[in-house]
Amino acid sequence: MKKTDEIKVSVIIYVKNTVDYIEKCIRSVMNQTLQEIEILIVDGGSTDGTLDIIERVKKEDNRIRFFHSIASVGAQFNLGLQEARGQYIGICEADDYILPEMYEKQYQIALENQLDVVRAGYYQIFHVNNKEYRFKLKSCYQDEWTEKVIVSNRNTFFLEQGVNGFWNGIYRRNFLLENHIGMNETKGAAYQDISFSFLVQMYAEKIWFMKEAFYCYRIDNLNASVNSLHGIEFHISEYEELKKRLKNSNQWEQYKNMFFSWELVSYRWFLGELPNDLKKDNAKKVYHILNGQNQEEKFDTKRMMETVKLFAETLDNETEFLQCILSGTENKIALLEYMENLLKKNEEIILFGVGHLGKIIRQFFALFRKEIFLTDNSKFLQSSGLMGEKIYHPEDMTRRFPHGRYIIASVNDAKEMNEQLIKLGIPGEKILICDDEEFFLRRIFVKAGKYGES
């Protein structure tokens, strides 16, 4: 057992019934190149054989400490934080795993710069036909803010990054304790990280975004809380608790517009994850919650995150709000239905846009050995190609395949690309838009094996 003053990072693993994943998770922490760590496993009442695995692995490493808790991610995390003795806190969820150098590299940066928080990129991972797919997400989408110390001075910069993973970093333990930052001890395992992330990003004064990625976040666990259909209620409860915290600490007026921005982001994301027949009723519920809050608190749209201002500005009109927050739903439904019946289709497929998202879609089609044609507006790609494949000019493609199926792959430019295809003579019904990476990965790529069987 390491002496308390030798422990550099305390890694908290909260777990309940993850028998298929827990051993890989624990071993990924045990195998960190940083040896001066402790591993705090907090079980919330597992009954599926998880405990047997933990007890067996625990015998191999005296850095593992094992605790029992009520079934609440918040209570489990808080117990781990209370027992932790390291300078920094790491978090690894029980169905995920981490790459070997994560804590060594993060701790070195944190120590040298006396940081409150270090965040790295992370991978969304899943398996199709026994093959693991891994796609990287950035810790900060503005490259100019990466690989350097950022002093926040208690402004809203860090909050404006939104929830972009919280387990992909480390936190100075005394920073968490001094600011009374933990998780809400509500029941279950859904969204207790929202308040934790908000408070961390509100209080942190010295932060660092790494370009590297280490954390492997599983998106194909059907039992994960993110797949719960009761997510609206969980979100409501979590934001009510956060609001109480901000009001009780006299920080509500300063941060209420960021609070409201986070709510809008959360609800829009969750509505996008719901089955189609549940979207509208839940969207109406969200509208009445947010509209009531807005009337009471008088939020200022000018001080909100840019990504949600449009939604906030429609809160006086239910029809406009529903249309705005559900915009793109019809196209996502069409994209999903097309991919589900992919092998039954016999038409030319043209992928418009071969950036990050386009490359993901290209891998998806490769699973089914479906020939696709690639087109992009980039003159460089048109001249150089991509991994040996020719990239065509959009005008060449539309002349060659006026009746083909065009799939637009772009997060930021999908609307303009759609208009471009229509001007080039492609009917709107022959165009599908993919502008949401997470939707494509979770709802389409993860289920690729099933599509292949249909």
Side-chain angles (χ1 to χ4, degrees):
M1 179 70 70
K2 294 286 183 184
K3 296 179 181 178
T4 299
D5 59 1
E6 293 179 350
I7 299 173
K8 295 177 178 177
V9 179
S10 298
V11 186
I12 299 172
I13 302 174
Y14 41 80
V15 56
K16 183 182 178 184
N17 291 336
T18 54
V19 68
D20 293 331
Y21 310 113
I22 187 62
E23 183 164 356
K24 183 166 188 174
C25 170
I26 298 172
R27 290 195 182 280
S28 76
V29 181
M30 292 167 60
N31 294 331
Q32 287 294 294
T33 55
L34 181 70
Q35 291 294 299
E36 298 89 346
I37 65 173
E38 63 174 352
I39 305 168
L40 309 173
I41 304 173
V42 187
D43 180 70
S46 294
T47 57
D48 66 342
T50 294
L51 297 181
D52 295 333
I53 295 173
I54 295 172
E55 290 290 357
R56 172 168 54 80
V57 176
K58 180 176 179 291
K59 295 175 182 177
E60 301 177 25
D61 196 325
N62 63 8
R63 298 174 301 172
I64 296 176
R65 301 166 64 200
F66 187 27
F67 305 91
H68 296 277
S69 166
I70 61 171
S72 161
V73 159
Q76 290 168 251
F77 173 82
N78 291 343
L79 176 57
L81 179 59
Q82 174 187 320
E83 293 288 340
R85 300 168 298 179
Q87 294 170 259
Y88 282 84
I89 300 294
I91 302 156
C92 190
E93 296 196 323
D95 54 352
D96 301 333
Y97 67 91
I98 54 179
L99 301 183
E101 293 184 316
M102 175 168 173
Y103 293 131
E104 181 177 14
K105 290 189 173 182
Q106 290 188 336
Y107 177 78
Q108 183 177 359
I109 291 171
L111 187 67
E112 288 175 356
N113 298 284
Q114 294 300 293
L115 303 171
D116 295 322
V117 180
V118 179
R119 289 263 178 91
Y122 65 96
Y123 296 99
Q124 294 191 88
I125 63 159
F126 55 91
H127 287 80
V128 176
N129 299 336
N130 296 317
K131 177 182 177 180
E132 181 177 281
Y133 287 83
R134 185 187 288 179
F135 295 103
K136 182 179 177 180
L137 281 81
K138 297 179 178 180
S139 60
C140 178
Y141 288 98
Q142 297 134 302
D143 285 341
E144 65 268 25
W145 294 111
T146 60
E147 303 301 340
K148 63 183 179 182
V149 177
I150 299 171
V151 181
S152 72
N153 294 322
R154 298 299 296 275
N155 59 30
T156 60
F157 165 80
F158 201 1
L159 283 168
E160 289 168 8
Q161 306 307 306
V163 181
N164 193 16
F166 67 100
W167 14 249
N168 55 340
I170 59 173
Y171 307 87
R172 187 166 59 84
R173 180 168 62 92
N174 286 340
F175 157 72
L176 296 178
L177 296 176
E178 289 164 4
N179 291 291
H180 307 288
I181 300 174
M183 292 191 190
N184 293 319
E185 298 191 3
T186 45
K187 291 182 179 179
Y191 309 110
Q192 287 96 334
D193 57 291
I194 291 174
S195 289
F196 175 83
S197 296
F198 191 97
L199 295 171
V200 162
Q201 292 171 219
M202 184 181 86
Y203 280 111
E205 294 184 0
K206 293 181 68 178
I207 57 181
W208 184 294
F209 295 109
M210 299 178 69
K211 287 186 177 180
E212 285 186 89
F214 307 97
Y215 193 95
C216 297
Y217 175 64
R218 187 177 303 280
I219 63 173
D220 57 355
N221 179 6
L222 296 178
N223 296 317
S225 60
V226 72
N227 295 314
S228 170
L229 297 182
H230 301 290
I232 292 294
E233 286 74 22
F234 291 136
H235 274 100
I236 292 169
S237 173
E238 183 67 9
Y239 278 107
E240 284 178 349
E241 292 298 317
L242 177 56
K243 184 177 180 180
K244 288 178 190 174
R245 165 71 183 261
L246 294 174
K247 288 204 167 191
N248 290 340
S249 59
N250 296 315
Q251 294 171 306
W252 174 247
E253 288 301 319
Q254 182 178 357
Y255 293 105
K256 70 179 186 181
N257 295 299
M258 275 297 109
F259 169 92
F260 198 58
S261 296
W262 277 46
E263 268 196 305
L264 282 164
V265 170
S266 291
Y267 288 131
R268 181 180 62 177
W269 172 84
F270 185 75
L271 290 170
E273 291 293 304
L274 284 175
N276 299 324
D277 58 336
L278 298 178
K279 289 183 189 294
K280 192 166 185 179
D281 286 344
N282 278 277
K284 287 182 177 181
K285 181 184 289 188
V286 166
Y287 172 77
H288 290 294
I289 292 167
L290 297 178
N291 179 261
Q293 286 185 6
N294 191 40
Q295 290 184 19
E296 179 182 349
E297 301 293 346
K298 307 299 181 188
F299 297 107
D300 182 358
T301 56
K302 294 179 182 178
R303 298 176 62 191
M304 290 184 185
M305 290 160 54
E306 288 293 331
T307 54
V308 296
K309 283 183 178 179
L310 183 62
F311 302 102
E313 289 167 356
T314 64
L315 278 171
D316 291 333
N317 185 304
E318 181 175 357
T319 301
E320 288 184 12
F321 177 84
L322 294 179
Q323 183 177 0
C324 188
I325 204 164
L326 292 175
S327 63
T329 296
E330 296 81 3
N331 193 76
K332 286 180 178 177
I333 294 171
L335 182 67
L336 185 61
E337 290 177 350
Y338 183 83
M339 295 302 186
E340 285 178 342
N341 294 286
L342 179 64
L343 297 183
K344 300 175 185 176
K345 303 290 183 182
N346 185 23
E347 60 183 350
E348 293 87 6
I349 301 171
I350 302 93
L351 179 62
F352 186 12
V354 291
H356 174 70
L357 185 51
K359 291 173 183 174
I360 292 174
I361 297 173
R362 181 171 163 270
Q363 286 192 56
F364 175 84
F365 280 109
L367 276 173
F368 305 106
R369 296 181 174 84
K370 293 286 284 188
E371 181 183 16
I372 63 172
F373 298 91
L374 306 179
T375 182
D376 198 283
N377 284 317
S378 167
K379 292 181 179 179
F380 172 77
L381 288 172
Q382 290 168 17
S383 63
S384 64
L386 177 70
M387 298 177 68
E389 293 187 57
K390 184 172 177 55
I391 309 297
Y392 295 89
H393 191 287
E395 289 187 14
D396 295 336
M397 280 288 93
T398 53
R399 281 197 298 266
R400 184 177 175 186
F401 299 120
H403 305 295
R405 172 68 61 177
Y406 287 78
I407 300 176
I408 294 172
S410 176
V411 174
N412 298 315
D413 301 316
K415 182 179 179 182
E416 291 78 8
M417 293 163 72
N418 185 59
E419 292 172 354
Q420 181 181 355
L421 288 177
I422 290 174
K423 286 180 180 178
L424 290 171
I426 304 302
E429 63 269 18
K430 300 296 287 186
I431 302 171
L432 294 170
I433 297 175
C434 182
D435 59 0
D436 187 331
E437 177 181 341
E438 186 167 15
F439 174 84
F440 188 83
L441 289 175
R442 283 184 179 277
R443 300 292 301 279
I444 296 174
F445 208 148
V446 165
K447 299 176 181 177
K450 184 191 68 147
Y451 299 158
E453 296 168 0
S454 63

